[in-house]
Amino acid sequence: EAQLLESGGGLVQPGGSLRLSCAASAFTFSSYAMSWVRQAPGKGLEWLSTISGGSRSIFYADSVRGRFTISRDNSKNTLFLQMNSLRADDTAVYYCAKVWAASGVFDSWGQGTLVTVSP
Amino acid sequence: DIQMTQSPSTLSASVGDRVTITCRASQNINDWLAWYQQKPGKAPDLLIFKASNVQHGVPPRFSGGGSGTEFTLTISSLQPDDFATYYCQHYSSYLWTFGQGTRVEIK
């Protein structure tokens, strides 16, 4: 069973930057697309970004395009999310998720890391 | 962009009840529809993929149906462990969209 562990969350001031990491294990990381999904406090799930296994294809939601950058290091089985120009409405739990491309679903999720954007 | 609308937003039910949650798409999405269960403080878990396929390890009381624009998640006999929030999710052309969620609470 795939294991995903996010890190890097914390408190950041508006306009600041943060880099999230997601360490993957128990599956062939480079063979799968990976995504970031977030959930604001008391709100629903919001897909943010997806990167293909070889990093050739990258997709973003309109809400983060131009501010967030997804990347991966297959040699270290790690997924990243660089977040710049952070705003209060970016406050959320950020999840990494493994993509099951044939069915268009997220079949494994990490436990999430909380990002709080506040003065 | 395709919008996903769930109903109801909150559902009050008792153990043993049969419950159905509906998810409507703003346009035809064929069967590209999944359902997730999320408990407080936890990550979502995949229940159903491609509208009606039950994920490995999910109890058989969960079933999914529908195609096109209207989909359902049915729990045949609600168990104490099933009180949670449920989300539908659509995938198309490298965009993923979630419904707003349905909270199933104890009546």
Side-chain angles (χ1 to χ4, degrees):
Chain A
E1 184 177 338
Q3 301 292 322
L4 300 169
L5 182 63
E6 302 92 339
S7 61
L11 176 64
V12 61
Q13 292 189 340
S17 298
L18 210 56
R19 190 194 198 200
L20 305 183
S21 299
C22 171
S25 60
F27 67 101
T28 306
F29 182 67
S30 60
S31 295
Y32 291 89
M34 297 292 296
S35 294
W36 288 97
V37 176
R38 72 181 176 185
Q39 186 169 37
K43 303 298 183 182
L45 301 167
E46 179 187 15
W47 167 76
L48 299 179
S49 183
T50 296
I51 184 169
S52 63
S55 301
R56 280 192 175 183
S57 300
I58 290 176
F59 309 95
Y60 294 102
D62 289 344
S63 59
V64 302
R65 185 177 292 114
R67 298 190 302 126
F68 291 10
T69 302
I70 192 172
S71 62
R72 64 193 295 162
D73 184 340
N74 287 343
S75 68
K76 297 182 179 178
N77 290 349
T78 304
L79 175 72
F80 303 100
L81 186 67
Q82 176 67 42
M83 304 186 296
N84 298 330
S85 303
L86 284 162
R87 313 184 298 227
D89 63 357
D90 293 317
T91 294
V93 174
Y94 286 72
Y95 296 100
C96 64
K98 173 176 165 283
V99 179
W100 181 12
S103 299
V105 299
F106 308 115
D107 63 351
S108 294
W109 299 65
Q111 87 292 345
T113 187
L114 176 62
V115 173
T116 302
V117 184
S118 179
Chain B
D1 291 356
I2 296 174
Q3 307 301 316
M4 308 301 295
T5 304
Q6 289 182 234
S7 60
S9 296
T10 305
L11 187 159
S12 298
S14 302
V15 172
D17 284 353
R18 178 183 181 90
V19 302
T20 297
I21 300 168
T22 298
C23 179
R24 290 185 174 86
S26 58
Q27 57 186 276
N28 184 6
I29 62 170
N30 296 307
D31 62 353
W32 290 99
L33 194 285
W35 291 96
Y36 299 83
Q37 177 193 67
Q38 186 181 34
K39 297 179 181 177
K42 301 295 185 182
D45 285 321
L46 177 64
L47 297 175
I48 305 286
F49 62 94
K50 295 298 289 293
S52 60
N53 295 273
V54 180
Q55 174 70 339
H56 178 72
V58 172
R61 62 181 180 272
F62 290 92
S63 63
S67 66
T69 61
E70 186 156 332
F71 302 85
T72 57
L73 172 69
T74 299
I75 309 172
S76 60
S77 178
L78 199 64
Q79 298 301 301
D81 192 48
D82 302 336
F83 292 97
T85 299
Y86 295 84
Y87 294 92
C88 64
Q89 172 249 309
H90 165 58
Y91 163 73
S92 175
S93 301
Y94 306 105
L95 290 176
W96 286 259
T97 307
F98 290 94
Q100 80 278 16
T102 295
R103 183 184 173 208
V104 177
E105 61 180 27
I106 300 173
K107 191 173 184 179

